[in-house]
Amino acid sequence: MISRLLSIALALLVLVAPQARAAIDESELLPVEQAFALSARTLGSEAVELRWQIADGYYLYRHRIAISAPEGFTPGALDLPQGKRKTDEFFGEVETYRHELVARLPISVSPGTREIALVVSAQGCADVGICYPPHKTPLRLALTDTAATPASTVPAAPLASSPSNPLAGLLQTNVMAGATDALPLPPEQAFGFEAIANSGDELLLRFTPAPGYYLYRDRTRLSATAGAQELTLGEPRWPQGVEHEDEHFGKVVVYFEPIDVPVPVQRAAGGPLDVQITATFQGCETDGICYPPMTRTLSVSLPASGAGAAPVAAEQAEDSRLAAALSGPNRLWTLLTFFGFGLLLAFTPCVFPMVPILSGIIAGAGNISTYRAFVLSLVYVLATAVVFTAAGVVAGLAGANLQIVFQTPWILVSFALLFVVLSFSMFGFYELQLPSSLQTRLSELSNRQSGGSLLGVAIMGVLSALIVGPCVAPPLAAAVLYISQTRDPILGGLALFALALGMGAPLLAFGTAAGRLLPRAGAWMDAVKAVFGVLFLGLAIWMLDRIVAPTVTMVLSGALLIGSAVYLGALEPVAAASSGWKRLWKTLGVLLLLAGSLQVVGAMAGGSSLLQPLKGVFGGGGGHAAELRFRTIKSSAELDQAIAEANAAGQPVLFDFYADWCVSCKEMEKYTFTDPAVQQALSGFVLLKADVTANDDVDQALMQRFGIIGPPGTLFFGRDGKELRALRLIGFEKAGSFAARAAKAGASP
């Protein structure tokens, strides 16, 4: 089916492309069956002779001739004579045939076989500069007939359209074969091309492949003219692309996303100059057709030499750079880099809650050896890594992030209740254990006698990966982007697994150390379990904070602090003969009592900050920082309308993806968007926000449109309504860096 689409679409492109009409009159081209007339005959039951009569002014490529057998018999290697060597514009060093080509195909058939079926694929060009798309001819030959047997194809009625069209033969076979699928995009829509003056001495070319299409880097040729004035283009500064194993050109570098290519300009005079820039380039549809080379010519007005123009970011966004690195030659180094990014992410607020979870598991296992602690920690880390990898691969292939699915309120509440249940067991209210009959059956599997259930630890690891974290960050987005572009879940999954192992390495070290450092059975062990009980309650509050009001979080946090203070004896008198440790715990309890009381008082007074519970209680609300006003967007249609309105007003756009359960989103709101420098940089922007908390079909469609796997994601659009892809931000960014990013976006056209 792909081959049919290839022939149909490329034929249509040749028929309708303005540059093709300008280069040659269509009536001068022969139909492909006449330009390369194929006949065949059987040589007994041992070989088939293929003979091409090639019209004058046409030639066939040797390396583009191939044989397939759709009915299952296996042909031998095609014996082709040596062709004429040629340096080809498209394929480099090749061999070609003119006038006539005779080839011998060995065959091996079962006794009694009367006929065979072949499909012969070939490709050729005309000397006038037009290359035909690959053409396939089906053959059915009788083995008993050693005379010349013409190529047998499926009979078809003549095409009703344009009988004088010389390329009708390209369409005829495919129409009669039933190719009814939608045609690929016209070249102007599949591959956008723009050119602007980046400065008086530099052009900026923008290539924009449509989603599902890619552009070859090394199939691009550039030239420029400026009337009578001498003008020379320097070497283009291509961004890093994706290494791709191509059916036609072998290992090449391609681009699946829009790219900006700066091109230096050398000229004799330094004044303003009007330039005609001509670009010839080639690209393909992913898993579909490859377009013939297309040529575009645009006019650009260069300012005086040395005069600057509005800067446009030519670099790639961090997720795009990392995705491209996965296809580079140093893949092992790239995987090690992802592991390093994982180590850095291990200390973010999204991953940190896994530390008390694993520590609580180790503490709850009782007296265990260092080796057993290592095994439990390893099972937990591997479980989180496997689920994290699977979720990322699914997001890349299907565009559905499993971790987002688990951020619904009822799941978060259930997980918070699980933490509460675990914490009460730490306090000694009860012991969590399976019914005795089931416990006996699973004892050998889980090795419960040695401390800790491997199955239970693995389940906690799975739940932690899906619900607790980690946050969406550039390395995660890069691996998912690579999978979605290349459909290569193996390398992309390895990158995700390396990232997850990096995040889990500190957990593994901490869990192993906890098994060695935790005290043995006794009063100390009860105290340690109580500490982990408090941590589990804190995790429950942290989970609920994603879906409840800040005042509720403050009250719950205050209650936890006050309860911990009571446990430490903050309200009990200290005897004169008490030890120093007793007095230290008393002091700590009083401080926790005071902190908890401030949380409760601040919540009742309308506060919303855990770190500053009394902010605004005294002295009114005059001290509140100014807030950015975002317009909430729900659907793609609303977004397009808002961007169009901003374009009409000549304003750039910031578009932010947010969710109540997204920890990094709240970091952006609290620490970045409140910064005066950021607010100043965004003063001329139209601010839009997509609240994807519900994660319904409309939210998912909006995220899939931009390839966003989950919030936070911040997109910038120029005054022309196009996304400034190189400035896209995935994850949290500090105020200073974000202000610089926004300033770049504000200076773009």
Side-chain angles (χ1 to χ4, degrees):
M1 184 61 69
I2 291 176
S3 62
R4 299 194 197 108
L5 288 177
L6 176 65
S7 298
I8 293 176
L10 289 183
L12 289 176
L13 292 176
V14 174
L15 289 175
V16 303
Q19 61 268 30
R21 290 200 300 267
I24 184 173
D25 187 351
E26 296 168 4
S27 63
E28 298 178 9
L29 286 176
L30 293 174
V32 67
E33 292 86 355
Q34 295 181 25
F36 312 103
L38 173 64
S39 63
R41 67 171 184 170
T42 56
L43 304 178
S45 60
E46 297 179 354
V48 172
E49 181 185 86
L50 302 174
R51 184 182 300 269
W52 282 270
Q53 296 295 332
I54 305 171
D56 291 340
Y58 295 79
Y59 58 90
L60 271 179
Y61 290 111
R62 175 176 179 163
H63 72 287
R64 303 296 293 157
I65 299 175
I67 307 294
S68 61
E71 294 187 3
F73 103 94
T74 303
L78 184 63
D79 183 13
L80 289 166
Q82 184 174 357
K84 182 179 179 181
R85 293 192 175 276
K86 176 181 185 295
T87 301
D88 189 74
E89 178 184 1
F90 308 115
F91 298 109
E93 293 295 326
V94 297
E95 293 183 28
T96 61
Y97 301 106
R98 293 180 180 272
H99 306 306
E100 184 179 60
L101 167 62
V102 179
R104 185 177 183 275
L105 177 69
I107 59 174
S108 178
V109 296
S110 302
T113 303
R114 291 300 187 92
E115 64 177 20
I116 59 173
L118 299 172
V119 176
V120 181
S121 176
Q123 185 177 13
C125 300
D127 288 338
V128 293
I130 295 295
C131 282
Y132 292 80
H135 178 68
K136 293 186 177 181
T137 303
L139 304 176
R140 188 172 293 277
L141 305 172
L143 290 178
T144 56
D145 184 6
T146 58
T149 305
S152 173
T153 59
V154 181
L159 288 178
S161 60
S162 185
S164 62
N165 186 344
L167 292 177
L170 287 174
L171 297 171
Q172 185 168 353
T173 302
N174 296 284
V175 172
M176 65 190 177
T180 59
D181 297 283
L183 292 176
L185 293 174
E188 293 79 7
Q189 297 181 25
F191 303 97
F193 174 66
E194 302 168 85
I196 63 172
N198 202 27
S199 69
D201 301 299
E202 186 175 76
L203 291 167
L204 189 70
L205 310 183
R206 177 172 294 165
F207 296 90
T208 310
Y213 293 76
Y214 61 88
L215 183 75
Y216 295 108
R217 183 187 66 187
D218 298 329
R219 312 303 298 173
T220 304
R221 303 289 181 268
L222 303 174
S223 62
T225 58
Q229 188 173 140
E230 184 178 350
L231 187 75
T232 304
L233 295 181
E235 191 69 22
R237 298 198 299 272
W238 293 94
Q240 186 173 9
V242 176
E243 194 171 277
H244 177 67
E245 189 66 36
D246 188 77
E247 176 185 359
H248 307 290
F249 304 114
K251 186 172 291 187
V252 293
V253 175
V254 300
Y255 299 99
F256 291 89
E257 292 196 348
I259 56 170
D260 292 329
V261 183
V263 182
V265 176
Q266 299 176 1
R267 49 182 177 160
L273 185 64
D274 290 332
V275 178
Q276 294 285 324
I277 179 72
T278 300
T280 300
F281 50 91
Q282 189 174 7
C284 297
E285 181 186 20
T286 304
D287 298 327
I289 72 162
C290 281
Y291 290 72
M294 57 200 87
T295 300
R296 311 276 175 82
T297 300
L298 298 175
S299 298
V300 181
S301 296
L302 285 174
S305 181
V312 179
E315 70 275 9
Q316 290 179 292
E318 186 174 358
D319 61 326
S320 296
R321 289 199 307 272
L322 291 173
L326 278 173
S327 293
N330 299 319
R331 295 186 176 183
L332 178 60
W333 174 252
T334 301
L335 293 178
L336 291 175
T337 302
F338 271 78
F339 180 83
F341 279 120
L343 288 174
L344 296 177
L345 290 175
F347 301 98
T348 61
C350 293
V351 182
F352 184 74
M354 294 185 181
V355 174
I357 294 176
L358 179 58
S359 301
I361 292 172
I362 301 297
N367 295 325
I368 59 176
S369 64
T370 302
Y371 172 76
R372 186 63 180 176
F374 171 79
V375 171
L376 292 176
S377 303
L378 182 63
V379 170
Y380 180 83
V381 169
L382 289 179
T384 59
V386 169
V387 174
F388 176 71
T389 301
V393 171
V394 170
L397 294 177
N401 191 340
L402 293 180
Q403 291 174 304
I404 293 181
V405 174
F406 280 82
Q407 302 303 317
T408 55
W410 72 269
I411 292 180
L412 295 176
V413 170
S414 300
F415 206 61
L417 290 176
L418 175 61
F419 281 133
V420 173
V421 171
L422 291 173
S423 69
F424 281 12
S425 69
M426 291 290 181
F427 290 128
F429 289 102
Y430 45 75
E431 290 187 7
L432 292 176
Q433 59 181 8
L434 296 170
S436 57
S437 58
L438 185 58
Q439 185 175 347
T440 300
R441 294 180 182 178
L442 295 178
S443 59
E444 292 184 2
L445 175 66
S446 64
N447 198 15
R448 184 175 296 276
Q449 295 84 349
S450 299
S453 166
L454 297 182
L455 180 61
V457 173
I459 292 174
M460 281 303 292
V462 170
L463 294 176
S464 298
L466 290 173
I467 302 174
V468 177
C471 297
V472 174
L476 171 60
V480 174
L481 176 63
Y482 172 83
I483 295 171
S484 64
Q485 288 179 346
T486 64
R487 319 305 291 178
D488 180 8
I490 303 299
L491 184 58
L494 287 175
L496 288 168
F497 192 70
L499 184 69
L501 289 182
M503 291 186 290
L507 292 174
L508 183 61
F510 188 88
T512 303
R516 181 178 181 84
L517 298 178
L518 285 176
R520 300 307 175 189
W524 270 104
M525 194 62 192
D526 293 337
V528 170
K529 286 187 175 183
V531 170
F532 284 111
V534 172
L535 291 178
F536 278 150
L537 289 176
L539 285 174
I541 297 172
W542 180 81
M543 296 295 299
L544 294 176
D545 180 54
R546 308 181 186 189
I547 55 175
V548 300
T551 53
V552 176
T553 302
M554 292 179 66
V555 170
L556 293 175
S557 300
L560 179 60
L561 292 173
I562 292 172
S564 301
V566 172
Y567 181 85
L568 290 173
L571 301 180
E572 298 176 3
V574 178
S578 297
S579 66
W581 284 107
K582 182 70 174 179
R583 295 177 185 275
L584 178 61
W585 301 135
K586 170 76 173 182
T587 303
L588 180 59
V590 171
L591 291 175
L592 292 178
L593 179 64
L594 178 60
S597 301
L598 292 177
Q599 293 291 339
V600 175
V601 171
M604 292 183 174
S608 59
S609 173
L610 286 172
L611 298 179
Q612 296 177 296
L614 299 182
K615 185 176 181 179
V617 176
F618 303 106
H624 285 289
E627 293 184 358
L628 295 174
R629 296 185 177 274
F630 286 83
R631 171 182 167 185
T632 301
I633 295 296
K634 182 62 178 176
S635 65
S636 288
E638 291 182 31
L639 175 63
D640 292 337
Q641 180 181 355
I643 292 177
E645 293 172 356
N647 293 346
Q651 292 178 280
V653 174
L654 179 148
F655 183 39
D656 184 55
F657 283 89
Y658 167 89
D660 290 341
W661 38 260
C662 170
V663 177
S664 295
C665 298
K666 295 186 177 181
E667 285 186 286
M668 288 290 293
E669 284 195 334
K670 187 172 184 179
Y671 301 113
T672 302
F673 290 148
T674 57
D675 187 89
V678 171
Q679 295 182 355
Q680 176 64 30
L682 294 176
S683 59
F685 282 74
V686 172
L687 305 179
L688 307 176
K689 175 182 291 186
D691 188 341
V692 296
T693 301
N695 192 37
D696 55 23
D697 292 341
V698 179
D699 294 339
Q700 293 176 18
L702 190 58
M703 287 190 288
Q704 289 175 7
R705 170 180 172 179
F706 296 101
I708 298 293
I709 62 173
T714 307
L715 284 58
F716 294 91
F717 294 83
R719 293 173 177 83
D720 57 359
K722 296 181 179 179
E723 185 194 354
L724 304 172
R725 182 62 176 85
L727 296 178
R728 179 183 291 194
L729 171 65
I730 302 297
F732 169 78
E733 187 171 57
K734 292 183 178 180
S737 300
F738 188 86
R741 185 187 299 269
K744 274 188 178 181
S748 299

